Amino acid sequence: MTSRRRAATATTALTCGVALLAGAASTGAAAAAASDGGEGDLANKSAQQISDDALHQLVAAKSLRLRTQTSADPTKIDLTLDRAGNCTGAISKGELGSVELVKRGSQVWMKPDAAFWKSQLPGKEGDDAAAKFKDTFLHGTTKDAFLRGLSAACDLKAFQKSAVAPGEPPSGAPSRSPTVTLVKGRPTTHEGTRVLPVIKKAEGAVQTLYVAIDGKHYPLKLTAEVDHQTGTILLSNYDTPVSAKTPAPGETADISALEERLRGSQSGSGAGNT
């Protein structure tokens, strides 16, 4: 795999992680119940009703903050994104480096760290690029294939669609699946918010969805474990607008700077193998 393709797999790995969590499962050992031990107005709802309501809230969101990681891949993301495809945040690929990402309309800015440059370009080339473009955003549009692939993670509509498994009813409608049994766990807290776990176990997999007890019943956390692989999705900042701030021109360079260096590296590698 070329360095260009390897860098672009961050978004692909993220998508796979979402699919794993939304369709598979996790350990959900509920912590101690909240001090009042109450489930609020969720007390009179079944686990299935709570899950359906949480899914409806997710699908209806105009924007949110998404954080995700899995043990199957080093990719981690932390993005605030909306249904218009705008986003800001970061995507990390472990030892291969990370990039800060800003997308506004068709305009995309990415700021790679030193590890990114060194993983994409061999030896001194990577060191030189890391020094030259330190604290610099590379700018282009979604017409650029590299930026289009990287910024695909900014698509909230696609994420919401991925959360609805094939054959599921539209948001807000009762679930038609009679084969999956959900149970309620004990109330606990997540990042200071009271939540109620909804647990699903099937074919050796366990999935736990943590739903806000107070106010709107947003899904705030999904943990999953299947075949000794684990993953977590955190959701927050529902309907908080994505920042409209974009990097100043003096902080940017054209995306062609990255592409030219990648092409030069690949040409040099090819020449060395002839």
Side-chain angles (χ1 to χ4, degrees):
M1 180 183 294
T2 67
S3 57
R4 180 186 176 95
R5 292 172 57 198
R6 188 170 65 246
T9 58
T11 300
T12 302
L14 165 63
T15 304
C16 293
V18 170
L20 167 68
L21 294 172
S26 161
T27 55
S35 58
D36 64 4
E39 299 179 1
D41 62 1
L42 298 180
N44 296 322
K45 293 185 178 183
S46 70
Q48 185 65 65
Q49 289 172 323
I50 295 169
S51 177
D52 289 343
D53 188 17
L55 178 61
H56 172 69
Q57 295 293 344
L58 172 59
V59 172
K62 296 178 180 179
S63 61
L64 53 78
R65 182 185 180 189
L66 170 67
R67 290 170 283 168
T68 185
Q69 66 180 56
T70 76
S71 62
D73 186 276
T75 301
K76 296 180 182 180
I77 84 154
D78 184 350
L79 292 175
T80 299
L81 57 161
D82 64 22
R83 292 176 61 84
N86 303 311
C87 80
T88 181
I91 297 178
S92 171
K93 191 64 176 175
E95 293 182 355
L96 296 180
S98 65
V99 297
E100 291 184 36
L101 184 63
V102 177
K103 180 175 180 289
R104 198 76 190 169
S106 64
Q107 303 295 312
V108 184
W109 294 260
M110 60 172 283
K111 183 166 74 173
D113 65 3
F116 172 92
W117 286 110
K118 293 176 183 180
S119 71
Q120 303 307 307
L121 300 169
K124 190 174 183 299
E125 288 184 62
D127 293 336
D128 289 347
K132 180 176 176 61
F133 295 104
K134 182 180 180 181
D135 297 327
T136 299
F137 282 89
L138 302 179
H139 172 245
T141 72
T142 50
K143 291 182 179 180
D144 179 89
F146 181 86
L147 291 179
R148 184 168 61 251
L150 184 68
S151 63
C154 297
D155 191 344
L156 177 57
K157 287 183 180 179
F159 175 77
Q160 291 169 322
K161 185 176 180 180
S162 75
V164 182
E168 286 290 318
S171 62
S175 172
R176 303 191 191 98
S177 175
T179 59
V180 176
T181 300
L182 304 179
V183 298
K184 293 194 283 186
R186 297 177 61 190
T188 183
T189 58
H190 165 65
E191 296 185 337
T193 299
R194 294 201 308 155
V195 291
L196 185 66
V198 175
I199 305 164
K200 178 177 75 175
K201 296 182 180 181
E203 299 179 353
V206 183
Q207 176 174 302
T208 304
L209 178 67
Y210 295 83
V211 181
I213 292 174
D214 304 309
K216 291 186 178 182
H217 301 309
Y218 291 122
L220 300 181
K221 180 180 179 180
L222 177 65
T223 60
E225 182 176 331
V226 57
D227 294 333
H228 306 293
Q229 298 291 342
T230 61
T232 301
I233 287 178
L234 302 179
L235 302 166
S236 60
N237 297 53
Y238 281 86
D239 295 328
T240 299
V242 175
S243 173
K245 183 179 179 180
T246 58
E251 302 174 344
T252 68
D254 194 85
I255 187 63
S256 60
L258 168 63
E259 296 172 334
E260 289 171 1
R261 285 175 180 265
L262 290 177
R263 282 196 296 269
S265 173
Q266 293 163 13
S267 297
S269 175
N273 292 330
T274 59

